[in-house]
Amino acid sequence: LSLPLDYPRPKLQTFNGGVIKHRLTSTLSQELNALAAQKQCSLFVLFMALYSKLLSRYSGQDEVFIGTPIANRHIAGTSTICGLFANTQVYRCQYVDGQTIDELIDQVKRDSIAAQEHQDLPFEQLVNALSLERDQSRTPLFQAMMTLQQGAKDLALAPLNDLSVS
């Protein structure tokens, strides 16, 4: 991902950076829920489509890779076990001239469903299998990550009232 930067990228990755937090109003949260329902997609898919489009515009790239953590709690017996079962998935978002936002949302929805079939593949194994040329100034495969954190309520079952985005 080649975003316009204020300063040259350091030769070695430093993990220096900041966090921007923003809480959406209840009204906007309800509108986003309604839009996701209208598009027959999850809030995750809606946000992934919008975030990838934003990164594409800022970078000028037609192909954007975004990482996202996945819980891996679908494995039998893990729902009652304490521990971290997280893995990282990589979404590849591609754009073609004239693509509408509806088409992008549909593409991300299809890609999200397909990604679930391979969620057990460890990220490290994927990186090793691709034999990528390593650049010490960047993480492999993606430089942007998106996480949608759910509160005590399951977003798929309950309306989203206050969403915190960071």
Side-chain angles (χ1 to χ4, degrees):
L1 187 62
S2 297
L3 293 171
L5 303 172
D6 293 343
Y7 304 98
R9 180 181 294 277
K11 292 184 189 296
L12 291 176
Q13 193 173 1
T14 64
F15 302 101
N16 293 341
V19 174
I20 299 171
K21 294 184 178 185
H22 180 76
R23 182 172 291 276
L24 301 179
T25 65
S26 293
T27 303
L28 181 55
S29 294
Q30 290 169 358
E31 290 171 354
L32 289 168
N33 269 310
L35 180 59
Q38 175 190 351
K39 301 295 181 195
Q40 297 181 334
C41 69
S42 66
L43 280 173
F44 173 83
V45 166
L46 181 65
F47 283 135
M48 180 63 81
L50 298 173
Y51 184 48
S52 66
K53 187 62 178 174
L54 177 71
L55 291 174
S56 173
R57 283 207 178 152
Y58 278 142
S59 68
Q61 295 173 240
D62 293 333
E63 183 177 58
V64 175
F65 294 87
I66 300 171
T68 189
I70 187 157
N72 275 346
R73 287 290 180 166
H74 69 284
I75 300 169
T78 59
S79 63
T80 59
I81 299 174
C82 264
L84 182 63
F85 293 90
N87 191 18
T88 302
Q89 283 187 328
V90 182
Y91 280 71
R92 176 184 181 204
C93 301
Q94 292 180 290
Y95 305 98
V96 292
D97 288 336
Q99 183 181 38
T100 67
I101 193 69
D102 288 339
E103 291 169 336
L104 176 60
I105 291 169
D106 287 343
Q107 173 192 329
V108 171
K109 184 168 48 173
R110 284 189 306 273
D111 291 349
S112 181
I113 292 167
Q116 299 313 307
E117 296 175 16
H118 305 287
Q119 66 179 299
D120 294 330
L121 177 68
F123 177 72
E124 298 80 12
Q125 188 176 342
L126 174 63
V127 171
N128 290 336
L130 292 174
S131 300
L132 301 172
E133 184 177 328
R134 294 294 181 94
D135 178 348
Q136 294 297 316
S137 70
R138 302 170 186 261
T139 56
L141 298 180
F142 65 91
Q143 287 78 54
M145 184 169 237
M146 187 190 90
T147 303
L148 178 63
Q149 294 181 337
Q150 300 179 41
K153 297 179 182 177
D154 185 350
L155 295 179
L157 302 176
L160 178 65
N161 294 321
D162 288 309
L163 174 70
S164 178
V165 178
S166 60

